[in-house]
Amino acid sequence: MDAQEELDRLSGVFFTQGEFVASVSGTTTPVVDPATAQEIGAFPHVTAAEISDVVRAANVAQKAWWAESGLHRSELLHEVASAMRRISPEVAEIMTRETGKPFKESSDEMMWSVSATDYYAEIGRHSVGSVIGTSVAGQMHYTLKEPMGVVVVILPANFPVLLLMWEAAAALAAGNAVIVKPSEYASLTTLKFMEAFEALPAGLVQCVTGGGEVGRQLVSHPETHMIGFTGSVPTGQAIAKACAEQFKPCLVEASGNDAFIVMPSAQLRTAARAATFAAFLNCGQVCTSAERIFVHEAVYDEFAAMVVEETGKLRIGNGLGKVDLGPMEHAGELARFEKVLARALEQGAKVVQGGGRPEGLPVELQQGFFHEPTVLTEVTPDMDVMTEEIFGPLAPLCKVDSFDQALELTNSSQFGLGATIYTSDPVEMHRATNEIVTGMVWVNAPLLDNDAGPFGGRKMSGLGRQLGAEGLDTFRHTKMVMVDPAASEQDFWWFPYSDEESFTPEA
């Protein structure tokens, strides 16, 4: 594949009814390679009329899709997974060029997406309801699981394929059609990925590009039936409010500010490597990144030295090279992150590793949106960096004097996505899993996902769950059915009421 030729082919189009179609919109936005800051393509802001056509096609395709057998839907979803494997190198390359992440991470994302698709291809046909014990003899009572209809998936740029398939695979397995609205910073990647759906009926999966106005039209459209959103708290709140006006179901995965606890019994070198990975994976642009690292005072200095050592080993550069960290997604994110770091230093934190733009990059990368992975010490719980989402390459180390203080500070956040603890103490393990108020807790195993287990948060981290059986039901309605085959007279509660059951005044 000639990457630039492919980026040119994908520029200016959207994906509808199985084809790439040039938008009639006169408005486009340049796509910039974050490693070089050079323009590599453009995406259109589709028109309201184009959106209406896409929604109409999705509704037609969804009805036909749901009319198929569960086995047929499963077989086609497995074909989608196979196609994803075939096109993985090409999509991963474009993802790296557009988002900056290392090619290894882009490739991993594709394979994780394949796994989720194969998983939902199977459990989607496992059960579409259940028979329940009757409340009246001779009747049949059961539930049916039915699709929402047309599901809109609105995505961020940090995991443009994985977060799509966590929702789209479940939605399709449940019998829905899917309309994708990608991030403005991963639109060409998402368009390229549409090739994976070639085996599906035309119109079942479509992709429209643009900014917030495109998202608003999809959310408010009366013929879209559910919204799945991953992104910021303010946008998630706006979507939830808009959905509430129509009582439209929504899934919102918003921000995180995950804690990473290190106790004296932890295997410190392993914990230091884990914290380095958890803080700097995808340049820290992960909703479950370790953003508040609470370290017991008994091991704080030793642990901090290890994290500095591990961080110093990381290679920075173009994601298509032999590197561990690429650039941040775009110039705006880099500028925002630098303000976060400057505020931490203003409040008294100390840089012990990194702290600025990397030096010694090749000439072609010197305008890229790179920042060194940075470790901070002398961080206190009241600092802004410990209360807001960082979403960048920063590891703030905060000293605690006890396990109880670590738990208290962990739970003090307005967010509740995930948390990690490193310890060898079974009591601390047990207490952490039961007392930490988050949707996920990792004990000595940070950031792992499992297709068969739910992903999601509490508090300001969002609503609903992805993955697992719960993630499938997120995209299904439940219908209660009661059948009396004999059409029996139900005089035990029908009119006329018996005189014996009427009110009798006391004598």
Side-chain angles (χ1 to χ4, degrees), residues 410-417 437-438 457-463:
T410 294
N411 288 335
S412 68
S413 175
Q414 63 178 320
F415 303 112
L417 189 52
V437 185
T438 57
R458 296 163 69 169
K459 299 190 280 189
M460 294 301 290
S461 288
L463 300 168

Side-chain angles (χ1 to χ4, degrees), residues 69-81:
S69 70
L71 176 60
H72 182 67
R73 289 193 295 270
S74 173
E75 289 171 340
L76 290 188
L77 284 175
H78 281 306
E79 287 191 38
V80 170

Side-chain angles (χ1 to χ4, degrees), residues 180-295:
V180 185
K181 193 280 177 191
S183 165
E184 295 94 313
Y185 300 101
S187 291
L188 301 186
T189 300
T190 310
L191 286 167
K192 174 64 178 177
F193 182 67
M194 292 298 105
E195 295 175 5
F197 300 107
E198 183 180 5
L200 298 185
L204 193 64
V205 178
Q206 300 174 92
C207 178
V208 293
T209 60
E213 182 56 34
V214 172
R216 281 188 288 273
Q217 291 179 53
L218 289 169
V219 170
S220 63
H221 199 290
E223 294 303 320
T224 63
H225 307 106
M226 180 182 172
I227 309 299
F229 168 77
T230 304
S232 70
V233 169
T235 304
Q237 290 172 322
I239 287 174
K241 290 175 183 176
C243 287
E245 292 179 357
Q246 299 182 49
F247 294 125
K248 185 180 295 187
C250 63
L251 167 70
V252 176
E253 201 272 277
S255 300
N257 187 21
D258 286 11
F260 188 109
I261 301 170
V262 182
M263 298 307 294
S265 64
Q267 299 179 29
L268 285 190
R269 177 59 66 178
T270 300
R273 291 191 64 206
T276 302
F277 178 77
F280 302 130
L281 172 67
N282 195 21
C283 213
Q285 298 166 124
V286 183
C287 55
T288 52
S289 287
E291 297 194 349
R292 297 179 297 147
I293 304 176
F294 297 116
V295 187

Side-chain angles (χ1 to χ4, degrees), residues 128-168:
V128 291
S130 60
V131 178
I132 58 179
T134 61
S135 55
V136 178
Q139 294 187 359
M140 178 73 169
H141 294 179
Y142 59 96
T143 62
L144 292 176
K145 297 290 187 178
E146 297 181 332
M148 296 286 181
V150 174
V151 173
V152 175
V153 178
I154 301 175
L155 294 164
N158 59 336
F159 291 95
V161 171
L162 182 66
L163 294 178
L164 167 58
M165 294 315 297
W166 278 7
E167 297 183 18

